[in-house]
Amino acid sequence: MSTFLENYLASVDTLPAEIKKNFTLLRELDEKIEEISSNVEKVCKGYKSSEEVDLSWEFIEESRQELQKCVDWGEEKVRIAVQTYDLVDRHIQRLDQDLFKFKQELDNEKAIADKNRNSRAVGNVKKRPASKQSGRDKKKRKLSNNKGSVYTAPKVPVLPEIPVDPNEPVYCICRQVSYGDMIGCDNDDCPYEWYHFSCVGLTEKVEGVWYCPTCIKSRANN
């Protein structure tokens, strides 16, 4: 932002002086036109009141030339006014372009930050628990060392009546294999370790430490 601001302030550094110069020229032209207009108006009033006024052809021609000067100066005023308008308009367009570029940079930085944040979030998601490698005599493997977080398995649960691998570890209070969204209890001594969302009334991921209802009740009794 500072770069855009510094560049823009540098570009408008001479703008006030240029505008002031043009306004000074307009005021000078106004004074000249006012002076000639007043003289011509005075002669016209004298002619209407029948006062002795020199209306010779030389005077008429001189008055015509003076009035033509007023017309020329009026056109010059219009030219200066248009020049001043264009001068300011160019700086406004420059500011609009800089603001648009600045917004694009902010959007790009935000997109990169969101991407990095999402990448870190994906890196923290647990892997799907693996099947047991041996018989029932071996201790069930933990789904992850980081509890209180979520992994997503296929949405179709394994129904009890469908035959499953007898060596597949079971979890949760329902004592079924892993399926769907599950969350791990942060108590290392938890008897069930992992829980299906639906079994503990969850609909979305829990931020931070999470304890299952069983462990919460046990900790309260202790």
Side-chain angles (χ1 to χ4, degrees):
M1 177 62 180
S2 59
T3 302
F4 285 110
L5 182 59
E6 291 172 358
N7 292 339
Y8 183 75
L9 291 177
S11 69
V12 299
D13 185 55
T14 61
L15 180 60
E18 294 177 0
I19 294 177
K20 181 179 180 181
K21 176 184 176 182
N22 288 349
F23 282 174
T24 299
L25 291 175
L26 291 174
R27 185 169 59 251
E28 292 176 354
L29 291 174
D30 275 337
E31 292 174 354
K32 291 180 180 180
I33 293 174
E34 181 65 27
E35 181 181 358
I36 292 178
S37 298
S38 297
N39 293 336
V40 173
E41 184 178 1
K42 181 179 179 180
V43 172
C44 292
K45 287 182 177 179
Y47 176 75
K48 290 180 180 180
S49 62
S50 300
E51 296 179 2
E52 291 186 3
V53 179
D54 184 8
L55 293 178
S56 62
W57 287 109
E58 290 79 5
F59 175 79
I60 294 175
E61 179 62 21
E62 182 180 350
S63 298
R64 188 191 67 78
Q65 293 177 0
E66 293 295 316
L67 291 174
Q68 184 60 44
K69 288 181 181 179
C70 291
V71 173
D72 294 339
W73 288 337
E75 293 176 352
E76 178 66 13
K77 285 177 58 180
V78 172
R79 186 190 66 80
I80 294 175
V82 171
Q83 182 187 61
T84 304
Y85 174 86
D86 291 341
L87 180 64
V88 175
D89 186 60
R90 283 197 300 272
H91 287 285
I92 293 176
Q93 292 181 8
R94 166 75 181 277
L95 178 60
D96 289 340
Q97 293 173 357
D98 287 346
L99 289 176
F100 179 75
K101 292 179 181 178
F102 177 61
K103 183 179 182 301
Q104 284 186 317
E105 288 193 4
L106 285 181
D107 292 341
N108 291 338
E109 291 177 0
K110 183 177 182 299
I112 294 174
D114 291 343
K115 182 178 180 181
N116 292 337
R117 183 164 55 253
N118 292 337
S119 298
R120 289 194 296 271
V122 171
N124 292 331
V125 174
K126 298 180 179 181
K127 296 182 179 180
R128 178 179 174 80
S131 299
K132 293 185 67 176
Q133 301 296 324
S134 59
R136 290 287 184 176
D137 57 328
K138 292 187 177 180
K139 187 180 182 293
K140 291 185 302 181
R141 298 178 59 187
K142 291 283 187 176
L143 295 181
S144 174
N145 291 328
N146 299 322
K147 296 185 179 179
S149 60
V150 178
Y151 75 88
T152 301
K155 296 299 182 182
V156 180
V158 179
L159 300 178
E161 60 271 17
I162 298 177
V164 296
D165 183 355
N167 293 326
E168 180 77 11
V170 293
Y171 303 95
C172 191
I173 54 179
C174 65
R175 309 311 294 158
Q176 294 189 30
V177 297
S178 64
Y179 65 83
D181 291 330
M182 299 186 69
I183 184 168
C185 179
D186 280 284
N187 180 12
D188 291 336
D189 298 324
C190 178
Y192 302 110
E193 304 177 1
W194 285 82
Y195 295 81
H196 305 102
F197 269 28
S198 59
C199 293
V200 289
L202 294 178
T203 58
E204 59 184 12
K205 178 182 177 180
V206 177
E207 298 293 339
V209 178
W210 183 85
Y211 293 99
C212 69
T214 301
C215 291
I216 291 177
K217 184 177 180 180
S218 175
R219 289 162 64 94
N221 292 335
N222 296 332

